Amino acid sequence: MSTPMVLQHTETRPETARYDRYPTRLGAPAPHLERADPAVWGEIDSPELASFDADGFAIFDELLTPGEVAEFSGEINRLAGDPALRDDDRLIVEKSSNRVRSIFEVHKLSAAVAELVRQPRVLRLAEQVLGSEVYVHQSRVNYMPGFRGAGFYWHSDFETWHAEDGMPTPRAVSLSIALTDNYPINGSLMVMPGSHRTFVPCLGSTPAEHYRESLQEQEIGVPTAEDITALANRYGISQFTGRAGSALLFDSNLMHGSSNNITPFPRSNIFVVFNSVENTLVEPFAAPAPRPGYIGSRDFTPLSA
C-alpha cells in the first residue's frame, strides 16, 4: 500500500472567486498540498498565538467560570428538551439511538450564547488569529451522551466548508468550549499538531443535500486510511482534555476526530466557527448547491458591528 506524496503547492496564478487552490472531492487520489495561506493573520504577540501558529490550536484552561458552566449547561439542556425543536432541521439526532447529537445556529436560539460570542475574551481570540473582523460561520452545541455517544471520524472542517459552503481559504477558526470534563476516556477530541499546514484532497462527488446524512455520519469528504496514516506518522496525535470551562481554539484545516463515548461520563460543548469578513463565501467548490444558512451562514455582518 503506497503512502500519499506530500508536495509543495507552488501555483502562482492570480486568485479569483472561482480559482480553486484547494481542490477536493476528486475522482482519483491526489497529492497532499502544503498550505498556501498563513495560520495566524495577525501579529503573533503571545504564547497562545505562537502555539496556534505552530500546532494549529491553542488551549485556554479557564475560559468560563464554574458559574458560567452551570448556566450554559442548563441552557443546552433546555434546548435539547425543547419540544418545539424536535421537528426543526437545526436539531440533529444520533443515527442509531435517535438521541440529540447536535443543535445548530445555537447563537440564534440562545440569548446567552449570542452574548458569549460577542464578549471580548472570545471575540478577540478569533480576531487576533484571523487579523480582521469576523462573523459566525456556524454555531452549534455538540452532545455526546454516556454509553452510546457516537464520535466523529478524522476530518478537516475546511475541506467540507470549502467543498460544500464555498469558503475560499482556511481563514477561519473554531472555538470548542467544554461544558463537561473532557477525559481521555470519554470521546474527547484528538488532533494532529501541525496538520493544519497540509491540505488533504478527498475522493468522491458530493450528492445533493449531502448535509442531511453527513451531520449524522460523514462518509464523503473524509481522508483515506492511507492519508490518516501518513499524517499521523508525520505529525503525531494529541488529545484535548481538561475541566469544564476550558476551551480549544483550532484552525479550520486541523485534522481532528473523536472516538465513541462508551463511558458513563457525558461530553458536551459549545462550538463556534468564526470566519474572516475578508474570506466570505462564494459558490461551493465541489457541491451542487450551498448548504442551508444554519450550517454555513451567508450573513457576513461583523460581530463587532
Side-chain angles (χ1 to χ4, degrees):
M1 187 175 290
S2 60
T3 299
M5 296 172 59
V6 180
L7 299 181
Q8 180 73 31
H9 192 55
T10 57
E11 175 66 70
T12 58
R13 176 179 169 183
E15 184 170 0
T16 67
R18 292 314 308 163
Y19 173 53
D20 188 357
R21 290 189 289 126
Y22 298 96
T24 189
R25 310 287 169 102
L26 307 176
H32 297 174
L33 301 176
E34 289 303 288
R35 184 188 185 121
D37 295 285
V40 176
W41 294 72
E43 182 181 356
I44 300 175
D45 59 1
S46 69
E48 290 82 9
L49 285 175
S51 172
F52 190 98
D53 187 57
D55 297 330
F57 64 91
I59 295 172
F60 301 87
D61 289 329
E62 297 178 339
L63 188 67
L64 298 185
T65 67
E68 289 172 322
V69 168
E71 176 191 354
F72 285 109
S73 295
E75 186 73 348
I76 70 165
N77 289 336
R78 178 188 68 79
L79 292 172
D82 187 348
L85 287 175
R86 272 293 157 176
D87 295 323
D88 194 306
D89 285 344
R90 292 174 290 185
L91 186 145
I92 311 299
V93 298
E94 295 279 10
K95 198 171 184 178
S96 57
S97 66
N98 208 39
R99 299 169 76 174
V100 176
R101 177 179 176 86
S102 301
I103 298 177
F104 282 79
E105 218 170 42
V106 68
H107 71 294
K108 293 188 177 181
L109 293 170
S110 166
V113 176
E115 180 183 352
L116 177 65
V117 300
R118 288 176 169 82
Q119 289 186 9
R121 59 177 160 163
V122 170
L123 186 56
R124 184 62 181 145
L125 294 176
E127 291 177 337
Q128 283 182 303
V129 170
L130 301 180
S132 71
E133 293 183 302
V134 300
Y135 69 95
V136 174
H137 171 73
Q138 182 188 105
S139 72
R140 66 179 187 262
V141 177
N142 290 325
Y143 303 84
M144 186 178 280
F147 298 110
R148 296 192 178 274
F152 296 85
Y153 190 70
W154 290 106
H155 65 285
S156 149
D157 289 326
F158 173 66
E159 191 280 338
T160 295
W161 301 339
H162 183 68
E164 300 188 37
D165 296 335
M167 184 179 287
T169 68
R171 194 175 177 179
V173 294
S174 299
L175 182 66
S176 177
I177 306 173
L179 297 181
T180 52
D181 293 342
N182 281 252
Y183 305 113
I185 57 174
N186 68 337
S188 60
L189 201 68
M190 295 180 288
V191 299
M192 295 188 184
S195 62
H196 63 306
R197 300 285 182 185
T198 301
F199 179 77
V200 180
C202 295
L203 299 174
S205 59
T206 311
E209 297 191 339
H210 175 238
Y211 65 91
R212 295 190 183 277
E213 289 75 38
S214 66
L215 295 180
Q216 291 184 313
E217 183 178 7
Q218 186 170 357
E219 296 181 351
I220 295 172
V222 296
T224 65
E226 285 183 315
D227 292 324
I228 294 302
T229 301
L231 290 179
N233 285 333
R234 181 180 181 186
Y235 296 114
I237 298 174
S238 297
Q239 195 169 31
F240 169 54
T241 58
R243 303 285 295 177
S246 60
L248 179 72
L249 184 74
F250 65 99
D251 185 89
S252 58
N253 191 50
L254 186 72
M255 194 62 65
H256 62 286
S258 61
S259 57
N260 294 344
N261 182 15
I262 60 172
T263 75
F265 311 117
R267 186 175 73 85
S268 59
N269 65 294
I270 297 173
F271 186 89
V272 185
V273 181
F274 300 96
N275 189 27
S276 168
V277 296
E278 298 173 10
N279 190 43
T280 53
L281 309 185
V282 295
E283 288 302 303
F285 287 89
R291 298 190 299 176
Y294 64 85
I295 304 173
S297 176
R298 292 179 180 266
D299 177 359
F300 309 133
T301 305
L303 287 170
S304 57

